[in-house]
Amino acid sequence: MVAVTVARRRSVSVVVHLVLAVVALAFLAPLLWLLTAAFDADAALTAKVPEAFTLDNFAQVLTWEQSGRPLWNGLLMSGGAAMISVVAAVLCAYPLSRYQLRFRRPFLYVVLFASGLPITAVMVPVYSMFVQLELIDSMFGTTLFLAATSLPVAIWMTKNFMDGVPISLEEAAWVDGASAAQALRTIVLPLIVPGMGVVAIFTFITAWGNFFVPFVLLLDPAAQPASVGVYTFFGQGGLIAYGQLAAYSILYTTPVVVLYLLVSRTLGGAFNLAGAIKH
């Protein structure tokens, strides 16, 4: 009986590993094309080993107009959107987490509904509002809107992180005369720093990969981020510079990978409340 159970577990394990391997190959296939096409002077749509490795594709895209300025614009807008979203999410999530507000549940449902709205459904009134406020071609206005689109999910995530901090810690600070703002700044925020890192990364990646919003709101090519810059490699009549597109895509994904590695090493990705509560 034991032998049958062990054999069954091994069979299930083999099947699970095969399924995971297939899923991994499905994700690695586009990356394989990206790595091969970036170093191929005659890159095409199919992935193949280059006959002769070359850096000409990178040399053609590594210019200030082609990649430097779009990447810088993207970093400014995505980083600004992440900071605005984190600050606003903390201020919104704290009363939702700590106080028994009368309209807390309906407000949370409204926030949840807002997170499910497709961006294309609101772009027409948003564009009209930007025209009236003279914010077209404004990187600051676009940054605010990018932060607003990520704010509903950021509020939900921040509230869940705050719910994990025992309120008894704040009550002890209140007894010592600390205000709610002081308790938030000195007690809650230090304990949810990893969570705030997650919210910041989520907002940054969402804004970094957003093509539609800056494409509509920023008409000046000098103000457009790298997500819109990818569009320049798709020429007229279906002609695509595959090699340059692959090289640009590698440069485009580098900031996100570096940010993830830095934050994961710095924050550790987990909370540590051990010893915070005296039993």
Side-chain angles (χ1 to χ4, degrees), residues 81-181:
M83 293 192 330
I84 294 172
S85 184
V86 167
V87 173
V90 168
L91 297 178
C92 292
Y94 183 72
L96 294 173
S97 175
R98 290 300 188 250
Y99 302 135
Q100 297 296 326
L101 303 177
R102 182 178 181 182
F103 299 104
R104 182 178 67 171
R105 188 177 295 274
F107 178 78
L108 288 174
Y109 285 143
V110 171
V111 171
L112 182 62
F113 173 76
S115 64
L117 285 176
I119 194 66
T120 53
V122 298
M123 278 310 298
V124 173
V126 167
Y127 184 84
S128 176
M129 180 183 67
F130 268 59
V131 170
Q132 295 177 6
L133 297 177
E134 298 182 355
L135 290 177
I136 295 295
D137 268 343
S138 170
M139 293 180 60
F140 177 71
T142 305
T143 300
L144 288 178
F145 184 66
L146 289 173
T149 56
S150 300
L151 190 57
V153 178
I155 292 175
W156 270 92
M157 294 172 65
T158 305
K159 179 185 177 298
N160 290 333
F161 289 128
M162 287 186 177
D163 290 343
V165 179
I167 195 173
S168 58
L169 300 178
E170 293 179 77
E171 291 174 346
W174 295 337
V175 171
D176 293 336
S179 63

